[in-house]
Amino acid sequence: MRKPREIEEIRPLAAEPAKRDGGSGTLRLIGILVLVILVGLVLLNVLPSVNIGGCVGVLEISGPISASSSFNTVGTGVTLHLIETAKDRPEIKSLVVLINSPGGSVVASKEVYYALRDVNKPITAYIGEIGASGGYLAAVGADKIYADSASITGSIGARATFFDISRLLNNTGINATTVKSGPMKDIGDIYRPITEDERAFLDKMVNEIVTEFRSIVHESRNGKNNRYTFASLEKVADARILTGRQAYDLGLVDELGTKKDAIKDSAKKAGLDPDNPQVCEVKAERDLFSSLFSAMGNGIGEVLIQRLSVNDVKIS
């Protein structure tokens, strides 16, 4: 009979530590929850002041805008990909587009414009050395345009450039024969001068492109500041270039300032600290060999592009 009594005496002693552990575990859990809440409150107050968790994206468009990359041109394939990247990266709260372009392809410039319009974040364009024609068209895709007072912008127009070397060929005894299905199939061919009918056709095409360009500018600029009116476009209907200050006076740009000013303003729009904004560069990564060959191509291209043009239509 002693065994049952011993078992009965031991059972209460074995149960007591379990009760004590349960009580201390609950207190420990409460303590952890309180600590998590306190840390969360601290982070909510500290993170905004140091800009952790958000940055201003900076994307550069430099050089003539083209559908494909060659020499020193800006290929829209890469540019559109970078814009989409900036759009999708959650840490990028706003975007600054640095523009240094004299213009380029009609379609390519429009693609950049529409891509920027599609970004659901505050976008600021900054025109540095030059943001003219197609470069300016890209800029109006932003919510706000900054420009240096001495920058070159404007040139809201289009042009078609054609070469005629027929007299040169005649003098050398070279003859070019073209078999074509219609009288305008070889319009702009360098081996003959254009006809009056072709010139009238090209005038109509260029005017159509300019009308669309001006409509995009007016739609994008109207209401952005109290200086811009439709009369602003009328004053530059001859497609003249403008300094940044002249463009500001007409309301074609919103603010005069530096790249730093544009970044600070962009940070403020995103709710970040404008005095110490974090910057995230949005750029295509290249390996060493790609960078070297690109630099070599740019050197050759800069020489050629100053002397040559192709028979096409540009907003540049």
Side-chain angles (χ1 to χ4, degrees):
M1 299 295 294
R2 292 182 63 184
K3 276 188 177 182
R5 281 200 298 270
E6 287 176 355
I7 292 172
E8 289 174 0
E9 291 174 358
I10 291 171
R11 280 177 182 169
L13 292 173
E16 286 177 2
K19 289 180 181 178
R20 286 196 297 270
D21 287 343
S24 62
T26 301
L27 290 173
R28 198 159 44 242
L29 180 59
I30 293 172
I32 291 172
L33 289 174
V34 171
L35 181 61
V36 169
I37 291 171
L38 289 174
V39 170
L41 290 172
V42 170
L43 290 177
L44 285 173
N45 286 280
V46 172
L47 284 179
S49 64
V50 296
N51 275 342
I52 296 176
C55 64
V56 176
V58 175
L59 186 155
E60 185 174 1
I61 297 176
S62 181
I65 301 172
S66 173
S68 59
S69 298
S70 61
F71 295 132
N72 65 338
T73 60
V74 180
T76 51
V78 174
T79 302
L80 297 180
H81 172 71
L82 293 178
I83 293 173
E84 194 68 22
T85 299
K87 176 183 175 181
D88 293 339
R89 283 174 57 177
E91 76 276 18
I92 294 179
K93 305 303 181 184
S94 62
L95 182 65
V96 173
V97 182
L98 307 178
I99 295 177
N100 183 26
S101 172
S105 161
V106 179
V107 175
S109 301
K110 284 172 58 180
E111 284 183 337
V112 175
Y113 162 78
Y114 284 118
L116 291 176
R117 287 289 299 270
D118 193 44
V119 177
N120 191 25
K121 297 177 182 180
I123 300 181
T124 301
Y126 173 71
I127 297 173
E129 291 289 339
I130 183 169
S133 205
Y136 179 72
L137 176 57
V140 299
D143 304 309
K144 192 171 187 178
I145 302 177
Y146 268 79
D148 187 279
S149 59
S151 64
I152 299 299
T153 185
S155 189
I156 301 171
R159 70 176 186 179
T161 303
F162 297 92
F163 285 94
D164 171 19
I165 63 170
S166 58
R167 286 194 299 173
L168 175 64
L169 295 180
N170 290 335
N171 291 335
T172 57
I174 300 173
N175 180 53
T177 302
T178 301
V179 179
K180 54 189 179 181
S181 60
M184 289 194 181
K185 182 59 180 176
D186 63 341
I187 187 171
D189 197 314
I190 64 172
Y191 303 120
R192 66 172 180 83
I194 63 173
T195 66
E196 289 303 316
D197 287 343
E198 289 171 340
R199 182 179 293 276
F201 171 79
L202 290 170
D203 284 341
K204 183 178 178 181
M205 185 172 67
V206 169
N207 288 332
E208 181 180 321
I209 292 169
V210 171
T211 298
E212 184 181 12
F213 187 0
R214 286 159 57 89
S215 295
I216 290 174
V217 172
H218 181 63
E219 179 186 346
S220 303
R221 290 278 82 205
N222 194 29
K224 287 291 176 69
N225 56 65
N226 57 13
R227 300 181 308 281
Y228 176 84
T229 64
F230 187 73
S232 301
L233 274 180
E234 293 299 306
K235 290 179 180 178
V236 295
D238 58 358
R240 70 185 65 181
I241 59 173
L242 303 165
T243 65
R245 186 171 297 281
Q246 290 170 338
Y248 173 82
D249 291 339
L250 292 171
L252 295 173
V253 303
D254 299 296
E255 300 288 348
L256 297 177
T258 64
K259 178 175 73 173
K260 185 177 180 180
D261 293 329
I263 292 174
K264 288 176 66 174
D265 188 52
S266 183
K268 186 177 180 180
K269 279 184 170 55
L272 303 174
D273 181 7
D275 296 321
N276 187 30
Q278 289 193 357
V279 172
C280 300
E281 289 191 5
V282 184
K283 61 182 180 180
E285 297 297 332
R286 291 179 176 176
D287 57 36
L288 177 60
F289 289 103
S290 297
S291 299
L292 285 174
F293 283 112
S294 174
M296 290 170 63
N298 285 345
I300 298 169
E302 285 173 3
V303 174
L304 292 177
I305 207 164
Q306 290 173 4
R307 293 166 171 76
L308 300 178
S309 181
V310 293
N311 292 355
D312 61 2
V313 180
K314 294 184 178 182
I315 44 177
S316 62

